[in-house]
């Protein structure tokens, strides 16, 4: 089987794999200390992206599905850091249960690159406005993180931005079941980064993924992986 067909076959099996990620045992906890409070301020975040340090993104098990001659679907998401008086938060969504890709999962606002988009940043801003109604006039893009490849065939560019309240949100009810915020301090603490393992069907091996449970929301998979890389970037 050619590499492109092989990755497509594996990706389809992954996308159709039905399991409850919350039911899987925690294999380990990453355990790094929380970022200091000063690194969560808007000014520090702007400075970090303006003069980025040397750092290494964390590889995930999803990368082994990617072959050099495959053509992943380009996409972009926004990591919207909301500057609240009592501390910054990350705006996230719960996807509706009927969607074809990543149904019911906690997600960052975003989606596939459209041919009319001028850049990955344009994609992230357009998709964010379409999904949650957050207008780009409230959004200050500060930078991007390295592309994140998923086993389901996407190449996602994470676009990091600061969001200044007040603003209004309006969910696209076809795609978004709920909009919520999580304290950035919680997400930028390695004590809250769990590793879980799932055995894939048809002898395809095991996959390790991150989870960051927060209250009734279970953040995992690609979303947790991109947040994990934001953590590495900010702590470098």
């Amino acid at each position: 089987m050619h590499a492109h067909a092989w990755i497509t076959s594996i990706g389809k099996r992954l996308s159709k794999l039905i399991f409850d990620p919350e039911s899987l045992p925690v294999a380990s906890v990453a355990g790094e200390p929380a970022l200091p409070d000063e690194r969560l301020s808007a000014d520090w975040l702007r400075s970090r992206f303006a003069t980025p340090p040397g750092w290494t993104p964390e590889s995930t098990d999803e990368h082994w599905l990617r072959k050099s001659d495959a053509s992943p679907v380009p996409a972009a998401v926004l990591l919207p850091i909301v500057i609240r008086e009592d501390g910054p938060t990350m705006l996230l969504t719960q996807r509706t249960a009927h969607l074809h890709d990543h149904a019911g999962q906690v997600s960052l606002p975003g989606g596939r690159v459209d041919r009319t988009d001028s850049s990955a940043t344009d994609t992230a801003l357009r998709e964010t406005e379409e999904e949650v109604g957050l207008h780009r006039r409230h959004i200050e893009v500060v930078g991007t993180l390295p592309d994140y490849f998923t086993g389901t065939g996407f190449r996602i560019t994470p676009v990091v931005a600061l969001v200044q309240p007040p603003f209004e949100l309006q969910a696209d009810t076809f795609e978004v079941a709920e909009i919520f915020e999580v304290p950035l301090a919680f997400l930028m603490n390695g004590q809250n980064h769990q590793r879980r393992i799932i055995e894939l069907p048809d002898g395809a091996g095991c996959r390790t993924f991150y989870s960051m449970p927060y209250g009734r929301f279970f953040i995992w998979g690609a979303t947790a992986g991109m947040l994990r890389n934001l953590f590495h970037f900010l702590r470098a």
Side-chain angles (χ1 to χ4, degrees):
M1 183 182 294
H2 293 300
H4 181 71
W6 179 81
I7 185 176
T8 301
S9 174
I10 294 292
K12 286 180 178 178
R13 277 184 280 167
L14 276 173
S15 65
K16 294 179 180 179
L17 186 61
I18 299 174
F19 69 101
D20 178 10
E22 294 185 65
S23 69
L24 298 173
V26 177
S28 62
V29 174
E32 300 95 342
L35 287 183
D37 289 344
E38 60 266 23
R39 294 198 175 198
L40 303 180
S41 71
D43 287 343
W44 194 93
L45 292 168
R46 290 188 189 98
S47 175
R48 169 50 55 104
F49 278 94
T51 55
W55 70 291
T56 302
E58 186 167 358
S59 180
T60 69
D61 278 2
E62 291 181 303
H63 285 70
W64 69 270
L65 295 168
R66 180 167 58 93
K67 298 295 182 180
S68 59
D69 58 348
S71 299
V73 177
V77 297
L78 194 72
L79 278 69
I81 300 173
V82 183
I83 307 302
R84 300 287 185 190
E85 288 186 4
D86 53 352
T89 65
M90 183 70 68
L91 189 148
L92 296 164
T93 71
Q94 183 96 43
R95 291 168 64 83
T96 52
H98 64 264
L99 294 176
H100 181 268
D101 296 311
H102 309 288
Q105 293 184 16
V106 169
S107 179
L108 294 154
R112 302 181 186 210
V113 172
D114 189 274
R115 61 182 178 81
T116 62
D117 295 333
S118 61
S119 64
T121 295
D122 193 37
T123 298
L125 293 174
R126 175 185 56 77
E127 286 280 346
T128 297
E129 186 168 3
E130 291 176 1
E131 288 185 10
V132 301
L134 180 60
H135 195 278
R136 62 183 67 196
R137 68 175 174 271
H138 300 291
I139 301 172
E140 175 192 350
V141 173
V142 292
T144 61
L145 296 173
D147 287 350
Y148 186 95
F149 292 84
T150 74
T152 48
F154 291 93
R155 173 176 57 82
I156 304 175
T157 302
V159 179
V160 184
L162 307 180
V163 182
Q164 298 290 343
F167 51 79
E168 295 183 358
L169 300 177
Q170 180 64 53
D172 174 354
T173 56
F174 180 81
E175 292 191 37
V176 177
E178 189 168 355
I179 306 168
F180 63 100
E181 297 178 29
V182 177
L184 190 61
F186 175 88
L187 297 172
M188 298 297 101
N189 183 346
Q191 295 292 335
N192 299 323
H193 301 173
Q194 304 172 348
R195 297 187 189 94
R196 304 187 188 218
I197 300 175
I198 181 171
E199 185 174 343
L200 301 178
D202 303 328
C206 295
R207 176 188 167 196
T208 301
F209 62 89
Y210 278 103
S211 62
M212 303 173 184
Y214 179 76
R216 61 188 177 85
F217 297 104
F218 190 72
I219 305 164
W220 71 288
T223 297
M226 286 182 278
L227 291 172
R228 176 82 176 154
N229 274 339
L230 176 64
F231 173 67
H232 284 308
F233 176 75
L234 297 182
R235 69 188 291 264

